[in-house]
Amino acid sequence: MEDFEKEVPQEVKLVVTEEMRSYFYDMSKWARFLSVVGFIVSAFLTLSSFGIGAAISANPAMLNQLGPLAGIGATGITIFYLLLALLFFYPSLLLLRFSAKGKQGVLFGDQETFNDAISSVKSLFKFWGILTIIFLVSYFLLILAVAVSGAGIK
């Protein structure tokens, strides 16, 4: 019988070409732009949350104009807008981290900084994935609730 030599697996090396580095550098620029826009939107939502809450508290007649949101009151609307601001702030922060570390990693060939940039992108996708699952489940439950309540009415 033949003795089969066990093959030692070779370490796989990823080759990053100059073209890929150029793409990554451009992605870093766009990520910075999107993060700044996200921070601005987050700031406006935060300011709006307190402004709308104060306006509703000062003039309760405005609450009637909000339709279904009127039930949560001024404090509830303030909290709702603050949560929206947070939903814009966190991904913007991850994009800013990706932009800064990605640009530095590409320009200086720093592997650790480049890894941190990729980690920020991973966290960003994980955040949006979890948020998407939450929305899909919420929509499913809403459709189910409407179907059940519609079936009960005859």
Side-chain angles (χ1 to χ4, degrees):
M1 290 204 169
E2 288 183 35
D3 287 295
F4 292 103
E5 292 183 31
K6 293 185 181 180
E7 290 186 31
V8 178
Q10 303 256 339
E11 184 177 331
V12 178
K13 298 271 184 181
L14 179 65
V15 176
V16 179
T17 64
E18 284 303 314
E19 184 179 20
M20 291 169 66
R21 287 172 55 127
S22 172
Y23 293 153
F24 209 87
Y25 186 75
D26 288 343
M27 287 176 10
S28 295
K29 288 183 198 176
W30 282 107
R32 179 168 300 268
F33 169 73
L34 291 173
S35 70
V36 168
V37 170
F39 286 135
I40 291 170
V41 169
S42 182
F44 280 136
L45 284 170
T46 302
L47 292 174
S48 297
S49 71
F50 295 114
I52 291 172
I56 290 172
S57 295
N59 185 4
M62 286 181 66
L63 198 58
N64 295 333
Q65 297 174 356
L66 293 176
L69 288 177
I72 62 174
T75 305
I77 290 173
T78 299
I79 291 170
F80 176 74
Y81 272 86
L82 286 173
L83 287 174
L84 282 178
L86 187 62
L87 283 177
F88 273 89
F89 180 81
Y90 182 66
S92 298
L93 180 63
L94 291 173
L95 278 174
L96 184 66
R97 287 179 184 165
F98 163 73
S99 173
K101 298 208 180 234
K103 192 180 287 186
Q104 182 181 356
V106 166
L107 287 177
F108 299 114
D110 185 4
Q111 185 66 48
E112 188 174 331
T113 306
F114 191 77
N115 290 346
D116 290 343
I118 296 297
S119 175
S120 293
V121 173
K122 178 200 69 98
S123 296
L124 178 69
F125 282 121
K126 185 176 179 181
F127 172 79
W128 281 115
I130 291 170
L131 199 61
T132 301
I133 291 169
I134 290 170
F135 281 131
L136 289 174
V137 168
S138 298
Y139 287 144
F140 176 74
L141 292 176
L142 180 67
I143 290 170
L144 187 65
V146 168
V148 167
S149 68
I153 300 174
K154 288 188 180 187

